[in-house]
Amino acid sequence: MSLFSRRKLSEYEPNDHQYQLNKLNFKVTKLEDRIDNLENDWECASQGESFQLANGIDAKEAANRVEKAAQKALPNELKKAFDEINSAVKNEQQSIRLWQYKLGIVNGEPQWVRIYHIAALSRELKKYGYETKLDSNDSDGRFSSLKVSWEGKETSDISKIDPAKKYILPLEDTECEITDSVTGKAISHEVAYACPRDDKWEIIYERKIYSDAVVVPGKNIISAPNWVKSIEPIEAD
């Protein structure tokens, strides 16, 4: 190497050394900041103060969200369960088993898909006179199931129906609060009702102070599916 080349290289050596030193100082500063944050969190914890990450939720809030999801899904899951019960009755069965999940295909990939929230469904079906038994085979619930039986049980309130009168058929424990999107305050409450629509019984949401949209003639209820007959009828005013 020529003398000229060596001199040119040496001119950059101090600058390169300073650059490496600056990088090291920056890493040390970042490490000190992390240590300070950990010390602050530890101090808060030792003094009984709570601290959370952004968007963090505690266990109680997580459980509440799961329960709300189950309650929101309950009306449709109850109707689906009554459809399965009705089909079993036609086959002269006295019990069925409802699975919490099934293996399906989502976006071309196999995936476990929830069918029922069986704990919430079990509580609800008991109100209609059914015997229920939860059978949990694993911790994550993939193979959990609910046995529903009706041997020797009266599950219909059809004897209470007068064909000449009108009724509403609200599903128990389906009331939900409607809030204003701006203020967050409750502005009304809705309830799930069973109603005939285009020769098919469906579950719809209507205000708690119901309208004629959910009023059903008694003669329609008498010929309704079993899951409809199992709902406690309330005579419309």
Side-chain angles (χ1 to χ4, degrees):
M1 182 182 291
S2 67
L3 179 61
F4 174 79
S5 299
R6 290 180 61 83
R7 285 179 178 175
K8 295 295 288 184
L9 181 62
S10 64
E11 289 176 6
Y12 289 93
E13 287 176 354
N15 291 335
D16 183 66
H17 176 72
Q18 186 62 45
Y19 172 74
Q20 295 296 332
L21 183 61
N22 289 341
K23 283 181 63 177
L24 179 60
N25 287 336
F26 177 77
K27 291 181 179 180
V28 171
T29 301
K30 294 286 288 184
L31 181 59
E32 289 175 342
D33 289 341
R34 290 183 61 187
I35 292 173
D36 287 342
N37 289 336
L38 289 172
E39 287 177 345
N40 289 336
D41 288 347
W42 178 261
E43 184 177 355
C44 288
S46 64
Q47 294 176 1
E49 299 177 12
S50 61
F51 60 94
Q52 286 185 321
L53 295 173
N55 301 323
I57 59 173
D58 58 20
K60 183 177 180 181
E61 175 61 19
N64 286 339
R65 291 187 185 183
V66 171
E67 181 62 24
K68 285 181 180 179
Q71 290 303 317
K72 184 178 181 180
L74 183 59
N76 287 330
E77 290 183 6
L78 188 61
K79 178 184 180 300
K80 192 187 304 180
F82 280 139
D83 285 341
E84 292 200 42
I85 291 171
N86 190 45
S87 178
V89 169
K90 289 180 180 179
N91 292 329
E92 299 182 2
Q93 297 173 229
Q94 294 180 324
S95 67
I96 58 171
R97 186 171 296 278
L98 305 176
W99 296 91
Q100 183 153 256
Y101 289 87
K102 74 173 182 180
L103 189 60
I105 303 298
V106 179
N107 297 325
E109 297 291 335
Q111 183 174 321
W112 288 98
V113 180
R114 182 183 285 276
I115 305 302
Y116 294 105
H117 294 78
I118 58 175
L121 185 63
S122 174
R123 294 192 297 268
E124 194 67 17
L125 286 171
K126 285 180 179 179
K127 298 175 183 178
Y128 294 96
Y130 291 96
E131 292 182 356
T132 62
K133 182 180 180 182
L134 288 167
D135 178 22
S136 180
N137 293 312
D138 68 345
S139 58
D140 64 8
R142 287 182 178 178
F143 301 104
S144 297
S145 64
L146 173 67
K147 182 180 180 181
V148 184
S149 58
W150 51 91
E151 182 179 1
K153 295 291 182 181
E154 177 58 53
T155 59
S156 174
D157 291 302
I158 198 65
S159 60
K160 301 178 182 179
I161 299 296
D162 183 339
K165 293 183 178 181
K166 295 182 177 181
Y167 300 86
I168 58 171
L169 299 168
L171 279 70
E172 293 185 56
D173 296 331
T174 58
E175 181 177 333
C176 64
E177 187 177 80
I178 306 301
T179 58
D180 187 286
S181 59
V182 177
T183 64
K185 295 182 179 179
I187 55 178
S188 67
H189 291 76
E190 290 186 345
V191 177
Y193 297 87
C195 297
R197 291 288 185 272
D198 299 325
D199 298 323
K200 183 179 178 181
W201 282 86
E202 298 180 353
I203 292 175
I204 66 170
Y205 270 91
E206 175 68 66
R207 294 181 184 275
K208 189 175 182 181
I209 302 176
Y210 62 88
S211 68
D212 290 340
V214 295
V215 175
V216 182
K219 61 182 181 181
N220 289 16
I221 301 175
I222 291 176
S223 59
N226 284 356
W227 72 265
V228 176
K229 296 177 183 178
S230 299
I231 301 172
E232 179 72 27
I234 298 176
E235 189 173 336
D237 296 332

